[in-house]
Amino acid sequence: MHGAGENIAAAVDAETLVFRYDDGDPIIDIESLRIAAGERVFIEGPSGSGKSTLLGLIGGILVPTSGTLNVLETNLGALSATERDRLRAERIGFVFQMFNLLPYLSLVDNVLLPCRFSPVRTARAGGSAAELQQNAVRLLEQLGLSSHLHERKVTELSIGQQQRVAAARALIGEPSLLIADEPTSALDTKTRQRFIDLVIGECERVGTSVLFVSHDPTLATAFDRRIVLSELNRATAQSDE
Amino acid sequence: MNRLALTLSLATRSLANRRLTAVLTVLSIAVSVALVVGVEQVRTEAKRGFTNTISGADLIVGARSGQLNLLLYSVFRIGDPTTNVSYANYERIAARDDVAWTIPISLGDSHRGFRVMGTTDAYFEHYRFADNQALTFTSGVPFKWVTDAVIGADVAAALGYATGDPIVVSHGLGATSFQQHTELPFRVAGVLRRTGTPVDRTVHVTLAGIEAIHNGWARTPAARQPVEASIAEQNALQPTSITAFIVGMDSRIAIFGLQRAINEFNGEPLLAIIPGVALQQLWSLVGVAETALFAVSAFVVIGGLIGLLTTLLTSLAERRREMAVLRAVGAGRGLVFALLIVEAWLLAFVAGLIGVGVIHAALWFARPIILDQFGLYLAGGGPGAFDAIVVVVVAVAAAILAAFPAWRAYRYSLADGLTVRT
């Protein structure tokens, strides 16, 4: 079983990675991208730099047109769609800019959603219903959502609170890789830094690699390394998308 | 947790979150299902009631006209006979060895809008309806005297008659005839139990009584004494002709022989029909309207399903994020597809159950009213195979239709990836 803190060399390893829709121009054209296991990387990318596409590729939703892409030591190109879905469910956590939560599920059920798609993740999050519940509550509290909020409806939470629930969901069951796509852009400056600190603290504890995408370079200080996507991606360097 | 349970649980919770549109969609499909089931129920019961009008009779004989014409006036009291059958020929046929019994019928008079039918005691003895049920009395007795009348349940209810009340028969069929047979008032001797057939709307009098008011006997001194009908029929009040008669035979095999004999009878142009065959023929005429009604209700169901399709398609736009979230946490595209199929199926299935339940409850409550107003008894033993088929067909059709929005959601989730730009 792949635990988060296991000994893997790279979280992401891409070589001559190209992606284009059908016969269109390449949207992603990356010579080499390597993110070590446990490394926390800040990717700076304005909109149009191909970041959504890159995250779609790493998340296994999109398939590379050419080149190799290894995520968590697994060659995505060699996997079927179902296998890619499984990898995502078992070992990757996502946080988006906003609207991360399903309004019809409770806070805790939202957090436990990835476990419902993956027995492996369920097992890592405790296995039994009671332990899952406990783990979800612990994560929410660790991310600063005190228990009196847990009974609230998702729609009654502030955006900052919703983002913390989303982070808890991404981190339940100790994923090997956390992908955060502009998770703080809807937050104000004060809560922004606090959110990043909380998420990184939790990832550090478990050993989760972090891929944090933002257009705001001032946030990069909390990360091990900063990558500017528009420099990395030759597709956007050429065409002014 | 297995995939189906997960899909089902997500679909129900997502639907609950959009409960207003979900409820409205369910409602529109439920109404259409209720309509189909209701139409079918009434149709079946109407047909049953129709074919139950007469039972156990082997032949109906009248003057030569059309098969349906004879059936209509002799059994349904609709329309008029063209000519009569001579009483002598009636007696000749009734006396045949293979004939078990006959019921003479003499029509042409009315009482306050209800048809008056002259007949004999044989009517109460041999007439059968539905599943070979005999006529029974709620009060009173069959004919004894010439002036005895036995009324159907509707007549008694509509006119408030009880045994002992007098009845004045009008000549002809209008509700307000100028020619009243006031010289010989009849007296209600009995009231029949409800049958759900035209019998309920008939005033039955003796054959001798009909004769008495038409041949002037009523004005003779003899009429002032009570005269037994069965005796009078053989004497002073023997009719010269009757409208039609019903024949029961000892052996079913002999029916066709007698039918041919009557139809080829030289003395008088007669027509013998087999009631079951004529009823089927008549129903096939009515059946056109029935098919049209069914087609209309089927179209209402199609309308309901298109409404469902519209709801699903419009909901897609606002649900792209929901789909993207599910994809991000590990859902395959198959689940996104299945979610919409299951949702449509669930809505239609629940709607079907509600529709069937509501219409059966409604018909159950409306049963006495329908019986009273339309003379149609809805036996309706609750939901049956037809209802199950309707529910299954509607649910399956909804699931198939949902393939279109499901496919779009599938495409969206491919194009959107993990981030929805809208």
Side-chain angles (χ1 to χ4, degrees), chain B residues 83-400:
Chain B
T83 42
N84 281 354
V85 180
S86 81
Y87 195 74
N89 282 332
Y90 158 63
E91 284 196 305
R92 195 171 300 159
I93 293 166
R96 280 175 62 119
D97 284 343
D98 50 359
V99 171
W101 51 264
T102 56
I103 300 170
I105 293 172
S106 188
L107 297 161
D109 292 312
S110 66
H111 173 72
R112 296 176 66 181
F114 292 102
R115 296 277 181 127
V116 170
M117 186 180 103
T119 185
T120 64
D121 271 346
Y123 184 75
F124 306 108
E125 199 180 324
H126 297 298
Y127 192 87
R128 296 287 183 274
F129 66 97
D131 304 321
N132 213 24
Q133 288 185 52
L135 299 172
T136 52
F137 286 78
T138 48
S139 67
V141 290
F143 304 142
K144 183 176 186 200
W145 312 106
V146 170
T147 54
D148 278 348
V150 169
I151 57 176
D154 282 345
V155 180
L159 304 178
Y161 287 166
T163 46
D165 288 345
I167 284 182
V168 171
V169 171
S170 313
H171 191 72
L173 301 173
T176 52
S177 176
F178 291 110
Q179 199 186 339
Q180 303 279 350
H181 294 296
T182 47
E183 67 280 4
L184 189 74
F186 288 86
R187 194 160 292 277
V188 177
V191 179
L192 292 172
R193 199 174 298 283
R194 186 177 293 279
T195 62
T197 73
V199 170
D200 297 345
R201 306 183 55 78
T202 306
V203 175
H204 308 87
V205 297
T206 62
L207 212 51
I210 293 278
E211 186 61 20
I213 55 180
H214 290 105
N215 74 357
W217 179 85
R219 281 185 285 272
T220 66
R224 288 181 203 126
Q225 300 293 319
V227 181
E228 281 197 34
S230 53
I231 296 166
E233 264 155 34
Q234 304 307 318
N235 301 297
L237 295 176
Q238 189 181 76
T240 52
S241 68
I242 55 174
T243 309
F245 57 97
I246 299 167
V247 179
M249 304 196 66
D250 288 321
S251 153
R252 298 235 139 190
I253 304 162
I255 294 173
F256 297 102
L258 179 59
Q259 186 185 24
R260 195 177 324 111
I262 292 170
N263 287 342
E264 291 169 358
F265 181 59
N266 281 328
E268 189 180 0
L270 293 179
L271 174 69
I273 60 170
I274 298 168
V277 175
L279 280 169
Q280 284 300 331
Q281 196 187 347
L282 184 53
W283 183 256
S284 67
L285 288 176
V286 183
V288 178
E290 159 205 352
T291 312
L293 206 60
F294 189 78
V296 167
S297 50
F299 274 110
V300 175
V301 171
I302 292 171
L305 288 175
I306 290 173
L308 169 74
L309 190 62
T310 315
T311 315
L312 286 178
L313 278 172
T314 45
S315 78
L316 276 191
E318 56 179 283
R319 295 181 66 196
R320 285 169 83 157
R321 286 195 188 96
E322 180 184 336
M323 302 299 179
V325 167
L326 287 171
R327 290 282 281 146
V329 297
R333 279 178 294 164
L335 185 120
V336 170
F337 190 86
L339 207 53
L340 279 149
I341 300 282
V342 165
E343 191 177 308
W345 172 82
L346 205 62
L347 286 172
F349 184 66
V350 169
L353 292 184
I354 291 175
V356 167
V358 164
I359 193 67
H360 278 286
L363 288 177
W364 189 81
F365 279 113
R367 190 188 292 175
I369 302 163
I370 293 173
L371 179 62
D372 192 47
Q373 296 290 311
F374 305 104
L376 180 65
Y377 181 70
L378 300 172
F386 178 82
D387 310 76
I389 290 168
V390 168
V391 171
V392 168
V393 164
V394 167
V396 168
I400 291 170

Side-chain angles (χ1 to χ4, degrees), chain A residues 64-199:
Chain A
T65 311
S66 66
T68 55
L69 175 59
N70 290 300
V71 174
L72 303 170
E73 305 281 84
T74 312
N75 181 6
L76 289 188
L79 298 185
S80 70
T82 313
E83 286 167 332
R84 278 183 274 124
D85 291 336
R86 193 191 302 147
L87 178 76
R88 188 166 69 248
E90 281 177 12
R91 304 182 64 195
I92 304 177
F94 278 96
V95 184
F96 301 118
Q97 186 172 353
M98 49 169 64
F99 307 116
N100 277 287
L101 307 178
L102 297 183
Y104 48 84
L105 296 183
S106 72
L107 247 63
V108 168
D109 282 344
N110 259 295
V111 172
L112 292 176
L113 203 52
C115 299
R116 302 185 68 175
F117 289 95
S118 163
V120 173
R121 198 137 171 190
T122 306
R124 281 206 305 265
S128 73
E131 281 192 81
L132 283 174
Q133 176 86 16
Q134 224 170 38
N135 252 312
V137 168
R138 181 190 60 79
L139 260 173
L140 284 169
E141 278 173 357
Q142 226 144 50
L143 289 164
L145 279 173
S146 50
S147 54
H148 75 274
L149 293 169
H150 297 184
E151 296 308 311
R152 292 256 174 106
K153 288 178 76 175
V154 165
T155 46
E156 290 166 358
L157 298 180
S158 73
I159 290 176
Q161 288 166 334
Q162 288 185 26
Q163 291 302 83
R164 287 168 198 209
V165 178
R169 182 181 63 200
L171 292 170
I172 190 92
E174 305 179 357
S176 309
L177 175 63
L178 173 72
I179 297 177
D181 184 6
E182 301 267 17
T184 55
S185 65
L187 308 181
D188 58 54
T189 333
K190 217 178 96 191
T191 46
R192 197 174 284 172
Q193 200 54 54
R194 168 116 180 95
F195 177 83
I196 291 172
D197 291 345
L198 285 170
V199 170

